[in-house]
């Protein structure tokens, strides 16, 4: 039976005039090399660099693994088919395996991004209960759930949903239109809005946190300025109190969030603390160990929120690049499934598919541009990269 199927496939393929697409072959090989090298470096950097061993980066490693598997298991066969001008000349069992891995890995990429957004939302909402350095049970559930759900979405292909009557053996694609709609909804059209809503909630929470901190700082600034003025009027010119900290001398609208992190909760031996003592101002609203514990808790919360705010700068870029690359693919393939009579050129389908796969090569580039620690690690392996690609300025 298998021999007859293979003979039928070969006869069908022989009836097509195959035009070899060398540009697709060259571009595909380069893309595979870029994806493998970039994502291997991402995994190695998190494995070897202590500064990168954070829970957020463990999710990024999971995303990099999905991209790596896509480059190893899916792209070679896809590039081979594109090289033959879209004609499938291999066994249909291999085609079904290709479709299974394609659906599962693309879904895993989206679910990993969704898991990152959930993890970031938790980190911003309850920072003091968030374990940044070690993966806890909640994060293990998120990491495992992304892959289990991705496998569940792709499982119908493994169980033979692609084996439809009168199947064209010269083309490798998802044959069941209902499955195309189902997988697109589960893999893209449901998780992406959830992910965007979570990011909106995170940015709103960070903005509210910023305004609350500025309000507290405003009251402290006013009190400290009044006491400084009073102390200056009572003391001779030779014994003027030391100048105010830089953050108090500035207009509140001009204060950066980094200065808020440094100045709102200064160390006990900082000049700010000493200055307030010199003018007779106690930084402690009430004495005792209880206040010290509360102050340490507030300082820790400020530092955590500062880190999360900085970490938020790279993740929207990753999500934006993903949406830019994959939205055309899912829109086109869903339209093909819903409207069977619509004439969508094969070139359009090929372009949006290529665009989706290019996303797997973009993420390592985004990390090196926006993350200082990733950039330092990448420089060890690629020291000849131009400074325009790996700029010295740190965003994260």
């Amino acid at each position: 039976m298998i021999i007859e199927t293979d003979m039928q496939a070969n006869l069908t393929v022989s009836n097509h005039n195959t035009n070899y697409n060398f540009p697709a072959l060259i571009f595909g090989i380069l893309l595979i090399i870029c994806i493998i090298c970039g994502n291997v470096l991402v995994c190695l950097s998190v494995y070897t660099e202590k500064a990168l061993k954070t829970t957020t980066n463990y999710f990024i490693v999971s995303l990099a693994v999905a991209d790596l598997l896509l480059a190893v298991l899916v792209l070679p066969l896809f590039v081979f088919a594109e090289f033959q001008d879209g004609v499938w000349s291999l066994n249909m069992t291999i085609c079904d395996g290709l479709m299974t891995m394609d659906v599962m890995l693309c879904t895993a990429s989206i679910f990993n991004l969704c898991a990152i957004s959930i993890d970031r939302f938790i980190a911003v909402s309850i920072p003091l209960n968030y374990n940044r350095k070690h993966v806890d049970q909640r994060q293990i559930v998120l990491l495992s759930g992304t892959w289990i759900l991705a496998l569940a979405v792709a499982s119908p292909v493994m169980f033979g949903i692609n084996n439809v009557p009168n199947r064209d053996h010269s083309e490798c694609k998802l044959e069941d239109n209902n499955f195309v709609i189902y997988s697109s909804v589960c893999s893209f059209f449901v998780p992406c809005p959830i992910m965007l809503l979570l990011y909106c909630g995170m940015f709103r929470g960070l903005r509210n946190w910023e305004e609350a901190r500025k309000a507290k700082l405003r009251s402290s600034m006013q009190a400290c300025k009044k006491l400084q003025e009073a102390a200056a009027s009572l003391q001779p010119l030779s014994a003027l109190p030391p100048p105010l900290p830089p953050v108090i001398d500035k207009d509140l609208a001009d204060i950066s969030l980094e200065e808020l992190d440094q100045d709102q909760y200064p160390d006990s031996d900082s000049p700010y603390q000493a200055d307030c003592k010199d003018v007779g101002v106690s930084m402690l609203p009430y004495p005792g160990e209880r206040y010290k514990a509360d102050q340490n808790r507030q300082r820790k919360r400020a530092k955590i929120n500062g880190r999360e705010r900085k970490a938020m700068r790279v993740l929207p870029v990753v999500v934006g690049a993903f949406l830019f690359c994959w939205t055309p693919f899912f829109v086109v393939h869903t339209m093909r499934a819903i409207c069977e009579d619509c004439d969508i050129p094969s070139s359009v389908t090929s372009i949006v598919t290529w665009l989706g796969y290019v996303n797997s090569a973009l993420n390592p580039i985004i990390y090196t541009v926006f993350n200082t620690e990733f950039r330092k690690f990448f420089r060890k392996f690629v020291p000849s990269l131009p400074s325009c690609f790996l700029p010295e300025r740190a965003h994260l």
Side-chain angles (χ1 to χ4, degrees):
M1 186 68 179
I2 296 176
I3 296 176
E4 291 179 0
T5 304
D6 290 340
M7 290 179 62
Q8 181 183 358
N10 292 331
L11 289 173
T12 304
V13 171
S14 64
N15 292 329
H16 290 79
N17 294 323
T18 303
N19 297 318
Y20 294 109
N21 190 343
F22 286 97
L25 177 64
I26 296 171
F27 179 76
I29 292 174
L30 293 176
L31 181 62
I32 291 172
I33 294 173
C34 289
I35 293 173
I36 292 176
C37 293
N39 287 285
V40 164
L41 285 177
V42 169
C43 296
L44 284 176
S45 62
V46 176
Y47 179 75
T48 59
E49 295 293 318
K50 184 178 180 180
L52 291 173
K53 292 183 183 296
T54 64
T55 51
T56 300
N57 289 341
Y58 293 143
F59 284 96
I60 289 176
V61 167
S62 180
L63 179 62
V65 169
D67 291 335
L68 270 175
L69 292 176
L70 187 75
V72 173
L73 301 177
V74 175
L75 273 179
L77 293 174
F78 171 77
V79 171
F80 178 71
E82 287 292 297
F83 172 63
Q84 298 190 105
D85 202 25
V87 177
W88 183 258
S89 59
L90 301 177
N91 190 284
M92 298 313 293
T93 302
I94 299 177
C95 172
D96 291 342
L98 172 63
M99 290 294 100
T100 301
M101 297 304 300
D102 194 11
V103 173
M104 186 185 78
L105 295 175
C106 291
T107 304
S109 295
I110 302 173
F111 285 175
N112 271 299
L113 288 173
C114 199
I116 290 173
S117 66
I118 295 172
D119 180 71
R120 295 294 83 209
F121 184 80
I122 294 172
V124 171
S125 302
I126 48 173
L128 295 179
N129 295 327
Y130 178 79
N131 193 341
R132 187 174 183 268
K133 288 294 182 182
H134 304 286
V135 177
D136 58 20
Q137 184 176 3
R138 176 181 61 243
Q139 290 146 351
I140 291 174
V141 169
L142 279 175
L143 283 168
S144 304
T146 57
W147 290 94
I148 294 173
L149 290 175
L151 180 61
V153 171
S155 61
V157 183
M158 292 189 299
F159 295 116
I161 198 172
N162 246 15
N163 295 327
V164 297
N166 302 321
R167 184 178 182 181
D168 185 359
H169 290 264
S170 67
E171 190 176 8
C172 183
K173 63 178 184 177
L174 293 174
E175 301 288 344
D176 191 293
N177 289 332
N178 291 327
F179 175 76
V180 172
I181 298 172
Y182 151 79
S183 61
S184 297
V185 170
C186 293
S187 302
F188 187 81
F189 292 110
V190 168
C192 283
I194 294 175
M195 185 166 51
L196 293 175
L197 287 174
L198 287 172
Y199 276 113
C200 289
M202 278 182 275
F203 282 113
R204 181 178 299 175
L206 288 172
R207 186 171 59 251
N208 293 338
W209 165 79
E210 174 191 346
E211 293 301 323
R213 292 192 66 190
K214 282 190 174 184
K216 291 181 180 178
L217 184 59
R218 183 183 292 108
S219 60
S220 299
M221 288 165 57
Q222 292 172 350
C224 199
K225 282 182 177 180
K226 289 179 180 179
L227 289 170
Q228 280 282 73
E229 293 171 358
S233 63
L234 294 175
Q235 295 180 3
L237 294 176
S238 60
L240 285 177
L244 292 174
V247 72
I248 294 184
D249 282 334
K250 290 188 176 184
D251 186 89
L252 194 60
D254 298 329
I255 297 174
S256 68
L257 294 179
E258 285 74 13
E259 290 175 305
L260 284 178
D261 290 336
Q262 295 171 2
D263 292 317
Q264 187 176 355
Y265 298 102
D267 297 330
S268 58
D269 56 349
S270 67
Y272 189 8
Q273 190 87 329
D275 293 346
C276 289
K277 288 179 180 178
D278 289 338
V279 297
V281 181
S282 174
M283 289 291 289
L284 304 179
Y286 51 87
E289 294 297 326
R290 179 183 174 188
Y291 171 73
K292 291 181 180 179
D294 182 70
Q295 188 183 44
N296 290 334
R297 182 180 178 87
Q298 292 292 335
R299 184 183 295 114
K300 180 180 178 183
R301 183 180 182 89
K303 290 180 179 178
I304 292 175
N305 276 284
R307 283 197 301 263
E308 302 311 328
R309 185 188 63 249
K310 294 175 183 177
M312 284 292 296
R313 295 178 182 177
V314 65
L315 296 177
V317 181
V318 175
V319 174
F322 186 90
L323 293 176
F324 174 79
C325 291
W326 280 109
T327 300
F329 172 86
F330 283 100
V331 170
V332 169
H333 281 263
T334 304
M335 285 181 58
R336 289 183 63 184
I338 295 175
C339 180
E340 298 182 13
D341 297 329
C342 295
D343 184 18
I344 300 177
S346 59
S347 59
V348 173
T349 304
S350 180
I351 290 172
V352 298
T353 305
W354 277 111
L355 182 62
Y357 291 144
V358 165
N359 178 255
S360 297
L362 289 181
N363 289 336
I365 298 174
I366 294 172
Y367 304 145
T368 56
V369 171
F370 285 87
N371 187 296
T372 306
E373 298 300 330
F374 275 116
R375 185 163 62 250
K376 289 179 180 178
F377 183 86
F378 275 48
R379 277 193 180 277
K380 296 178 183 178
F381 287 86
V382 197
S384 60
L385 281 180
S387 58
C388 62
F389 181 72
L390 295 178
E392 292 297 336
R393 62 188 178 90
H395 288 263
L396 224 170

